[in-house]
Amino acid sequence: IREWRCKIATATASTSFKLEQHTRPSLDPDLKQAFSDLALLIAANLSGESDNASELMPKSATANRALPFSLFKVQFPVKSTYVVLSFLESRLDGVMFLTYKREEGNPPLDNTLFGPKATQICNHPLAMRVKDEPDNPITSVATCIVGFDLRQVKDFAALPTLNDDGKASFDINGPSMDKVGSWWHARNSIQQRVTSFTGVDPSADMANVLGLPESRD
């Protein structure tokens, strides 16, 4: 596991966050499979291949593998959600924080996002909750927000962009990055996505509005 502790400061306020990188071999097998399935399902939603994805998902471990990936986890104070996600997205071209509500996708992501590994995918106290008894009783959470690298969509056929030193970069200006760049530049504002996830405008003071303690993550 690699770990970074970072601080964002302006003239009037500051916050901090922790970022962890987990390689696939280091992940619990069930968690690795959950994220592999999630990558395939998100890609199917973005590329419009929902029918094929639904047929292949039961065989995902053998017949329909996700592209190689590392898992990154970010932890931050609750009221800094908008600031931290906005900062990360502005520094990582091609990476988007996607919001999802129950029964919203085609193919749906519910079994993965709200299944046994739900809290290891997104564990945020401001996520919306199901008012009535959910069809999936494992969790009452109704929304999720997850970061996704658009290069993981196989149909986008994005090839790594290399720096002068030969290492891969997050540059999306390469000749194979047209679809990645189009999706990334056309994304809704992070403020709209956080509002969709929490039901609260992030420009409001969440700590005061909802009575959340300062240190809760």
Side-chain angles (χ1 to χ4, degrees):
I1 299 176
R2 301 179 65 189
E3 181 180 305
W4 297 266
R5 293 180 181 270
C6 308
K7 184 176 182 179
I8 305 172
T10 66
T12 57
S14 67
T15 190
S16 60
F17 65 92
K18 181 175 74 171
L19 187 67
E20 294 179 351
Q21 179 185 15
H22 302 253
T23 60
R24 269 204 308 186
S26 68
L27 296 175
D28 168 81
D30 291 339
L31 184 61
K32 178 170 65 175
Q33 188 60 53
F35 276 103
S36 294
D37 288 347
L38 180 59
L40 290 169
L41 287 167
I42 292 176
N45 273 266
L46 296 181
S47 64
E49 291 193 347
S50 57
D51 293 336
N52 291 337
S54 296
E55 294 172 2
L56 289 172
M57 279 312 297
K59 302 179 291 184
S60 61
T62 56
N64 195 24
R65 296 181 183 276
L67 295 173
F69 65 86
S70 287
L71 172 64
F72 288 83
K73 294 185 178 183
V74 60
Q75 298 179 2
F76 46 81
V78 171
K79 68 176 184 178
S80 298
T81 300
Y82 165 68
V83 173
V84 172
L85 298 188
S86 178
F87 173 81
L88 290 172
E89 199 171 80
S90 70
R91 296 299 190 274
L92 303 173
D93 292 357
V95 173
M96 291 175 58
F97 287 95
L98 307 172
T99 57
Y100 180 81
K101 296 180 180 179
R102 283 180 182 262
E103 302 178 357
E104 201 173 52
N106 185 23
L109 284 69
D110 295 49
N111 288 342
T112 300
L113 292 180
F114 307 120
K117 300 297 182 182
T119 58
Q120 293 178 270
I121 295 174
C122 178
N123 186 13
H124 197 295
L126 292 187
M128 294 183 186
R129 303 283 168 172
V130 177
K131 291 183 179 179
D132 301 319
E133 185 69 21
D135 294 333
N136 176 3
I138 294 175
T139 177
S140 62
V141 173
T143 59
C144 179
I145 189 165
V146 60
F148 183 73
D149 189 340
L150 294 171
R151 298 166 188 80
Q152 284 285 320
V153 182
K154 291 182 180 180
D155 280 0
F156 289 0
L159 299 176
T161 302
L162 303 181
N163 290 324
D164 294 338
D165 59 5
K167 295 181 179 180
S169 75
F170 281 96
D171 185 17
I172 57 174
N173 295 320
S176 68
M177 294 289 179
D178 287 348
K179 290 185 178 180
V180 170
S182 295
W183 272 91
W184 192 71
H185 290 297
R187 68 195 188 282
N188 293 332
S189 71
I190 190 67
Q191 180 173 344
Q192 287 179 291
R193 282 173 276 150
V194 171
T195 300
S196 176
F197 168 60
T198 64
V200 178
D201 186 342
S203 63
D205 188 340
M206 292 184 182
N208 290 336
V209 170
L210 299 176
L212 295 174
E214 288 283 332
S215 60
R216 188 173 182 181
D217 290 341

